[in-house]
Amino acid sequence: AEFMSRFIPVGQKRLTNVSVVRYKRCGKRFEVACYKNTVIAWRNKVETDIDEVLQVHTIFADVDRGILAKREDMLEAFGTDNEDVVCIEILNKGDFQVSEQERQMQIDALFRDIASRVTEMCLNPETRLPYPLSTIERCMRETLHFAPNTGRSAKQQALQVVRQLQTSGAIPLVRAKMHLRLLVPAERLAEARSALRELATTGEQQLVLLSEGEAFGEGASSQLECLADPGLYRAINDAAGALGGSLQVVALKALEGAAEQGAAPGGPRANLAADVAQMRVSDG
């Protein structure tokens, strides 16, 4: 009678179309009843409202049969009988059967995430602007026939798509570079140029030195401006710190032509032509 009085208000009808998350601990089975197509969104932190995920804040031993978990079992397994706390742990760690609809939703969301990252990483070299998301998605589908892999990160797959698009020649595409300004004490300018040259000739990432000059005002220092792949930012920042200087981001996205046109006139570019030529490395 006590069991029935606890379970009947929940209602069997309310729990007929559910996704069950199961978790075994201390030899006991615990289950929670969730709305369809919500568990993956919760784990990916797309959905943060637990009330939109759980059909009821109740811990079951068997959802299908409507058997509730015993309080003493929860205390033994989780150290608490607070069902909200236990629900979250089961949601985060339990096993569940992914429906075909949920699996397709996960793949579609990953596909859009990858395409969005490509648009953020790259530019059309002719317009110096990012491509519309729809253009990247169309190329991924029609040219690359790209199928996302749920076992790999969106960033890894976005880098793969960039390389494949560049190889295919479907659209003109270049990686967007960061326009950076390195400020160092004047007496350490040569060391800074040497550090940038070393970074530029190591690996496949690209760095192009644009200009150098004097920064005026209190604590005057020399400055170097360059275009660099985002992957080099940390290394350049570390180099600046080691030389007692700092690094400024002039622009998050820049092309060589645009940055050179926008650079302040009067810099000693004549002496940098050889450096620019030496410091170009293929994007790969």
Side-chain angles (χ1 to χ4, degrees), residues 176-185 188-189 191-202 205-211 222-252 279:
K177 296 174 183 61
M178 300 179 74
H179 186 175
L180 303 174
R181 179 179 295 125
L182 181 66
L183 300 174
V184 295
R188 308 200 72 173
L189 178 61
E191 293 178 76
R193 296 178 78 239
S194 177
L196 291 181
R197 183 180 298 112
E198 184 177 348
L199 287 173
T201 55
T202 303
Q205 294 171 316
Q206 187 182 62
L207 186 151
V208 178
L209 185 62
L210 295 176
S211 66
S222 293
Q223 67 180 35
L224 290 168
E225 293 195 16
C226 65
L227 295 180
D229 279 358
L232 290 174
Y233 176 84
R234 185 182 296 274
I236 297 172
N237 190 52
D238 290 345
L243 294 171
S246 61
L247 185 64
Q248 299 176 349
V249 178
V250 179
L252 287 172
M279 299 174 72

Side-chain angles (χ1 to χ4, degrees), residues 47-97:
E47 178 59 70
T48 57
D49 185 353
I50 196 168
D51 291 329
E52 295 295 323
V53 180
L54 293 177
Q55 292 219 11
V56 59
H57 289 247
T58 302
I59 311 301
F60 294 87
D62 190 324
V63 168
D64 294 335
R65 296 167 59 194
I67 300 175
L68 301 179
K70 296 178 181 178
R71 177 176 176 273
E72 54 267 29
D73 289 344
M74 285 193 285
L75 284 170
E76 179 186 357
F78 301 99
T80 180
D81 60 353
N82 184 320
E83 291 191 311
D84 288 336
V85 172
V86 176
C87 279
I88 289 175
E89 184 158 357
I90 295 172
L91 271 178
N92 290 338
K93 298 181 180 179
D95 299 322
F96 66 101
Q97 186 70 39

Side-chain angles (χ1 to χ4, degrees), residues 16 30 35 38 51-52 62 84 102 112 124 141 148 171 199 203 208 279:
T16 54
F30 303 93
Y35 293 106
T38 60
D51 291 329
E52 295 295 323
D62 190 324
D84 288 336
E102 191 165 15
R112 288 191 298 271
N124 179 339
R141 288 193 179 95
I171 53 175
L199 287 173
V208 178
M279 299 174 72

Side-chain angles (χ1 to χ4, degrees), residues 110 114 146 148-160 163:
L110 180 57
I114 294 168
F146 184 79
N149 181 348
T150 56
R152 297 179 62 211
S153 72
K155 182 178 180 180
Q156 288 176 323
Q157 295 183 80
L159 290 169
Q160 173 189 340
R163 289 192 293 269

